[in-house]
Amino acid sequence: MLLKSAYTWVLLIVAVNAVPSPHKDGKQGEHVRGAVNKGLVAIGIVPATARDDTGITIGGLGSAIAFKLGTFRKHHDGHYTGTLVSQPDRGWNVISTVNYQARQHDFKFRLTPYYGHANLSYENAKKTFILDYKRTLLYTDRSDKPTTGLNPEGVRPATKHDPPLPIPSPNDSRLTIDAEGLVLNHDGSFWTTYIYKFSPQGKLRKVIQPPKSVLPYDDGKLNFTGDANPQTGRAGNQGFEALTASPDGKRLYAMLQTATMQDGGANFTTDRYTRLFEWDVDCTSPKLVGEWVVPLPLASNGNVYPQSDIHYLDGKRFLVLARDGSGNGATQSLSGYKSVDIFDIEHATDIHKSKYNWLTPMAPKGVLSPKVVPATYKHFLSLVDNKQLNRFGLHNGGPFDETLIDAKWESTALAPVLDPHHPDDYFLFVASDNDFITVDGMMPGEPYSDPYGSNVNSQFLVYRVTLPSVPRGSVARAIGIHN
């Protein structure tokens, strides 16, 4: 179902036209195949009180973002325009899950990167970019029945088209979706997690069932609930948090937020070793063709930082967004780690045909088997660098106000800078998930006021980065730019 609106909001993107001087976060550029963080060049917001055409609060925008294919353009005066597609997760669920139909929103944007050294005021910054909300697309099942965000406490039996699927209860057969990842295909269809493929009109077309090592089992039976941890499979509410694809759309990748239960899951000190999966989707029946172990970063106290998104670079290397939970929307304002990093599977062990792809642990109690070589993981770009944030009127730590960096950052997108003098430069967009936190909200059937007690806007950060390992032209092709 497609909805349209002419609502317009300011997105907070600031800029002058100049070539940036390289900015490195420590020495990471020397260790990640020449990758360089040239610094924050733009920021943006969508107000927490905004609503879509169904009258429902627009929130959770950072759960997944992607560029609408063929819309990204550079203009002669140095600004950029395009359409950003945002996919929320399952609605406001602080008290309990709600009947929130899965959806995606289109926002037209104008980006004019700011490369100056002087700090901009927050008020001046947020007037320099206009975000125009254009439409909302609602997701439906094969039978055109709306999906829901209610906790899945039942299992729909397998059919000739689909494997067993999560539903709210044995008496409610609606498909439950907690949409986290988003891949837009060149034919207008799209993928999201569990893993589902939808038509351009938002109707379910295909389902990929994850391997048994991922499926949540209790006493040999599937149990999709997110409110409790299963005996084996993904931990509760920590399934496929990330989804990405090759530029031609023929290979699809998904990664678990943290380790499976059999590999030390659901424990901050042992759930480090998560899994990356690769499917060949250029066929009638998608085929699993690869699986690797990725070690997540650790805090100084040994706790694991979960990942929230990945982005394809060249088939061996991927961006990954890992973070803590501090910031606006949380109880602690100072964040110690929110970072877009890079991992490399080139020399990692492919376990997709091994016993570990079933129920045999490959990292029992969080200790990785010596038979498995994990991906290499390198820190790249910090989102909580106050020197960079202060240039745009934002801050990490300190008072809880609308200029405090949000707690939850969960999605990334890449676009080429299209600078002939810097052909390996890209804009890295990162978006927050505000958990629909507002004191003036609306979910299906009822208004709400979040107990947090204030509005938490959805925030966007845009960086300029150099990524020489990315094949030139591949990012442009991935988002539909054809020279």
Side-chain angles (χ1 to χ4, degrees), residues 433-453:
D433 173 3
N434 72 340
D435 276 342
F436 295 80
I437 297 175
T438 176
V439 295
D440 182 21
M442 177 63 71
M443 282 289 115
E446 61 180 330
Y448 71 91
S449 178
D450 193 278
Y452 192 68

Side-chain angles (χ1 to χ4, degrees), residues 151-157 165-172 174 176 222-225:
N151 185 53
E153 298 180 0
V155 179
R156 183 194 294 176
L165 296 177
I167 56 176
S169 74
N171 299 318
D172 186 346
R174 289 175 297 170
T176 291
L222 282 172
N223 183 2
F224 288 111
T225 183

Side-chain angles (χ1 to χ4, degrees), residues 29-314:
E30 300 172 7
H31 300 284
V32 196
R33 292 180 176 262
V36 177
N37 166 20
K38 290 186 173 179
L40 186 64
V41 298
I43 66 171
I45 67 163
V46 170
T49 55
R51 298 187 183 184
D52 66 21
D53 272 355
T54 67
I56 301 302
T57 292
I58 292 180
L61 297 180
S63 290
I65 59 172
F67 293 106
K68 194 172 187 67
L69 300 185
T71 65
F72 189 85
R73 291 179 176 85
K74 181 179 182 179
H75 298 266
H76 294 300
D77 63 356
H79 81 274
Y80 300 79
T81 59
T83 299
L84 192 67
V85 180
S86 171
Q87 178 184 263
D89 46 20
R90 54 180 176 169
W92 182 69
N93 54 32
V94 172
I95 298 174
S96 64
T97 57
V98 297
N99 183 27
Y100 179 83
Q101 187 174 0
R103 65 196 65 200
Q104 62 182 236
H105 307 299
D106 282 7
F107 297 92
K108 283 194 173 181
F109 66 84
R110 177 187 173 102
L111 165 66
T112 317
Y114 175 68
Y115 299 126
H117 295 288
N119 290 353
L120 297 165
S121 72
Y122 179 76
E123 290 303 317
N124 286 337
K126 68 182 181 181
K127 296 175 182 176
T128 61
F129 188 93
I130 301 300
L131 180 67
D132 186 12
Y133 164 67
K134 299 303 295 183
R135 71 170 196 169
T136 294
L137 178 69
L138 301 177
Y139 299 179
T140 63
D141 205 340
R142 292 183 186 273
S143 61
D144 294 321
K145 184 182 296 185
T147 65
T148 183
L150 292 171
N151 185 53
E153 298 180 0
V155 179
R156 183 194 294 176
T159 67
K160 65 177 181 179
H161 296 296
D162 300 323
L165 296 177
I167 56 176
S169 74
N171 299 318
D172 186 346
S173 64
R174 289 175 297 170
L175 178 63
T176 291
I177 292 183
D178 182 8
E180 294 290 351
L182 177 65
V183 168
L184 303 181
N185 298 317
H186 291 273
D187 64 357
S189 64
F190 58 93
W191 297 96
T192 188
T193 52
Y194 160 67
I195 296 165
Y196 304 110
K197 185 178 184 180
F198 287 85
S199 73
Q201 295 75 38
K203 186 173 182 177
L204 182 66
R205 290 301 188 203
K206 185 174 292 186
V207 181
I208 298 177
Q209 185 179 43
K212 194 167 186 178
S213 60
V214 173
L215 292 171
Y217 277 96
D218 280 324
D219 297 325
K221 296 181 180 180
L222 282 172
N223 183 2
F224 288 111
T225 183
D227 290 345
N229 294 311
Q231 293 170 342
T232 60
R234 59 98 180 113
N237 202 30
Q238 295 191 34
F240 285 138
E241 189 78 4
L243 202 62
T244 191
S246 58
D248 59 11
K250 294 181 179 181
R251 296 299 175 101
L252 186 69
Y253 302 82
M255 194 156 88
L256 292 171
Q257 187 169 18
T258 56
T260 62
M261 294 300 296
Q262 62 268 27
D263 295 325
N267 185 315
F268 290 139
T269 63
T270 61
D271 61 0
R272 184 184 190 193
Y273 294 104
T274 189
R275 301 179 185 223
L276 172 76
F277 297 86
E278 176 185 1
W279 286 271
D280 177 358
V281 293
D282 188 32
C283 49
T284 303
S285 299
K287 180 181 178 181
L288 182 68
V289 295
E291 179 182 353
W292 300 270
V293 177
V294 179
L296 296 173
L298 298 174
S300 58
N301 62 3
N303 285 353
V304 176
Y305 291 123
Q307 69 84 19
S308 292
D309 193 33
I310 59 174
H311 199 291
Y312 181 101
L313 293 180
D314 64 4

Side-chain angles (χ1 to χ4, degrees), residues 14-21 38-41 78 80 112-118 391-392 417 419 427 464:
V14 250
V16 297
N17 302 312
V19 176
S21 58
K38 290 186 173 179
L40 186 64
V41 298
Y80 300 79
T112 317
Y114 175 68
Y115 299 126
H117 295 288
R391 292 174 57 236
F392 294 88
V417 173
D419 183 344
F427 291 122
R464 182 161 173 166

Side-chain angles (χ1 to χ4, degrees), residues 463-477:
Y463 292 82
R464 182 161 173 166
V465 297
T466 302
L467 299 170
S469 70
V470 175
R472 291 180 181 175
S474 62
V475 173
R477 289 192 297 274

